[in-house]
Amino acid sequence: MSFFRSKKLAIVTVVYWFLLLYMIAALSWWFIALEKQNKEISTIRLQELKKDDPAYFAKAVQIGEAKNRKTSQYIGEGMTFLALVVLGAVFVFRTARKQIRFVQQQQNFMMAVTHELKTPIAVTRLNLETLQRRKLDEGKQEQLISNSLQETNRLNALCNNMLLAAQLESGVNFTTQPELNFTDLLEGCIDDFKNRFPSREIKEEIEEGVYLKGEDLLLQMLVNNLVENAMKYSLPASAITVKLAASDDEVLLAVTDEGSGIPDTERKKIFNKFYRIGNENTRSAKGTGLGLYLCAKIAERHNGSISVTHNQPQGSIFTVLFQT
C-alpha cells in the first residue's frame, strides 16, 4: 500500500514540476516573441523615415526610445508574472507538502489509537475471563483486578485526550476557576502515579502553597501527560523529578527524565498534533501523538508556555511557565 502511495506521490510531483517549468518556458517564449516583434516594428519605422528629412535624427531617437520603453515594459511585466508564478508555486508546494505530512500523521495516529485501544481491552478481557473460569487465591485475584484497573485507566486517559483534542479544535471555551491550590493538585497526581507504578522512582521538589487560576481537570491532564510521557521515554530504573516553584508573577512546573533525550531538530515538532518521533511501525513507546499537543494547548489557555531542554547528562526537561 505504501509503495502505491509513494508511486502516486512521485507522479504528482513530476506533473507539478512539469507544469511549472512549462509555465516558465511559455512566459520566456512570450517575452522573446514580443521583443522580436518590437525590434521588427522599430526597424520598419526607421526604414520609413526619409534620410533627407531635417528631423530624421530626432525621429530616429524617438523610435529608439519607444523601442527601449517597450522592452522595459515587457521585462517589467515578465518579471512580475514570473514572481507571481514562482510565489504561487512555492505556496502550493508548501501547502501540499504540509497536507501530505498531516495525512501521514493522521494515519500514524489511527494506527497508534488502534493499538492503544486493543491492548487494554485485550488485557482486561483476559483478566476477567481468568477470574471467571478459574478459582484463584485472593492475592492473584487482587493482582488481576489491579492490572485490569490500570488498563482501564489507560483507556480512560486515551478517551479523555481524544475528547479534549476535539473540543480544543472546535473552539470550546473552558470556564476557569478563580484560584486553585496547584500544590495539592500536583501532589495528588504524583500520588496516583506512585500507586499505579510503585516500582518507579518519582522525586518531588514541590513548593508548598502555590496557587494558580485555572481549570483543575485541564491542569490534571497537563501534569498526567507530562509525567506519563517521562515514564514512556525513560528506563524503568531511572528517576523522574517533578518540580514546582513560584515567584511574584510566575509559576514554574518542570518534569525531568533521564531518557534518551530529544534531538534539536525535533523539539519544535513534538508539540504538533499527531506528531511522534520515528515511524509508527518501528517505535516501541506507546502513544498517539496527542499528549504534548494537549499540554501546549492547556498551557496556552492558562496564560503559559511549554518548552523542552536537555537534561545533563541525559534526558529531557519539560518546563511549563505560567504567568500569574
Side-chain angles (χ1 to χ4, degrees), residues 2 29 70 83 144 149 173 185 224 229 238 246 254 292 316 321:
S2 59
W29 179 256
K70 283 291 185 181
L144 289 178
L149 288 175
N173 292 323
L185 184 147
N224 290 338
N229 187 74
S238 62
L292 293 178
S316 302
L321 197 60

Side-chain angles (χ1 to χ4, degrees), residues 10-273:
I11 294 174
V12 171
T13 303
V14 171
V15 172
Y16 169 83
W17 285 110
F18 173 79
L19 291 176
L20 177 61
L21 293 176
Y22 176 80
M23 293 175 65
I24 294 176
L27 185 61
S28 301
W29 179 256
W30 168 81
F31 172 77
I32 293 172
L34 288 179
E35 181 62 17
K36 182 179 179 181
Q37 184 184 53
N38 184 32
K39 290 181 179 179
E40 290 176 352
I41 292 175
S42 299
T43 301
I44 293 174
R45 292 179 64 185
L46 285 173
Q47 291 176 353
E48 291 177 348
L49 294 178
K50 296 180 179 180
K51 294 184 178 180
D52 55 352
D53 188 350
Y56 174 83
F57 182 75
K59 292 180 179 179
V61 170
Q62 290 179 356
I63 293 173
E65 290 177 349
K67 173 181 170 296
N68 293 335
R69 283 197 301 271
K70 283 291 185 181
T71 301
S72 299
Q73 178 184 345
Y74 298 151
I75 293 175
E77 292 176 351
M79 294 300 293
T80 300
F81 291 149
L82 179 61
L84 291 175
V85 169
V86 172
L87 288 175
V90 170
F91 174 77
V92 171
F93 180 77
R94 295 184 62 180
T95 302
R97 185 175 63 176
K98 184 178 180 180
Q99 185 65 26
I100 290 171
R101 289 180 177 177
F102 185 73
V103 170
Q104 291 175 344
Q105 290 173 0
Q106 285 183 318
Q107 293 173 346
N108 292 339
F109 169 74
M110 293 303 299
M111 293 175 62
V113 165
T114 302
H115 177 73
E116 290 286 296
L117 288 174
K118 288 178 65 176
T119 301
I121 292 174
V123 172
T124 303
R125 179 179 179 179
L126 179 62
N127 291 340
L128 292 176
E129 288 178 348
T130 302
L131 290 171
Q132 185 183 42
R133 296 176 181 179
R134 298 184 181 182
K135 293 182 179 181
L136 304 175
D137 57 62
E138 186 176 351
K140 291 183 178 179
Q141 288 182 7
E142 290 182 356
Q143 183 179 3
L144 289 178
I145 293 174
S146 177
N147 291 339
S148 299
L149 288 175
Q150 288 186 13
E151 295 300 327
T152 304
N153 288 333
R154 278 183 53 199
L155 190 60
N156 182 58
L158 174 62
C159 293
N160 288 337
N161 282 347
M162 295 174 63
L163 178 61
L164 179 58
Q167 290 175 333
L168 291 174
E169 287 294 319
S170 62
V172 174
N173 292 323
F174 296 89
T175 58
T176 56
Q177 297 178 352
E179 201 169 41
L180 57 86
N181 191 325
F182 198 27
T183 298
D184 290 346
L185 184 147
L186 184 58
E187 289 178 344
C189 293
I190 295 175
D191 290 341
D192 180 61
F193 274 101
K194 288 182 176 180
N195 291 331
R196 290 166 54 194
F197 307 98
S199 61
R200 293 304 300 259
E201 180 184 2
I202 302 179
K203 299 179 181 179
E204 300 180 37
E205 299 178 4
I206 301 176
E207 185 177 317
E208 294 294 332
V210 177
Y211 287 83
L212 184 67
K213 293 182 179 180
E215 171 58 43
D216 55 350
L217 292 178
L218 294 182
L219 292 174
Q220 284 179 15
M221 188 170 291
L222 168 67
V223 174
N224 290 338
N225 282 338
L226 289 178
V227 176
E228 185 176 357
N229 187 74
M231 288 186 172
K232 285 180 184 177
Y233 296 98
S234 61
L235 296 176
S238 62
I240 296 172
T241 304
V242 180
K243 178 181 179 181
L244 179 65
S247 62
D248 294 337
D249 56 353
E250 291 180 342
V251 172
L252 181 143
L253 170 66
V255 178
T256 304
D257 65 70
E258 298 175 0
S260 57
I262 300 173
D264 294 339
T265 55
E266 303 286 345
R267 288 188 188 180
K268 294 182 179 179
K269 300 178 182 179
I270 59 174
F271 298 106
N272 294 339
K273 189 177 181 182

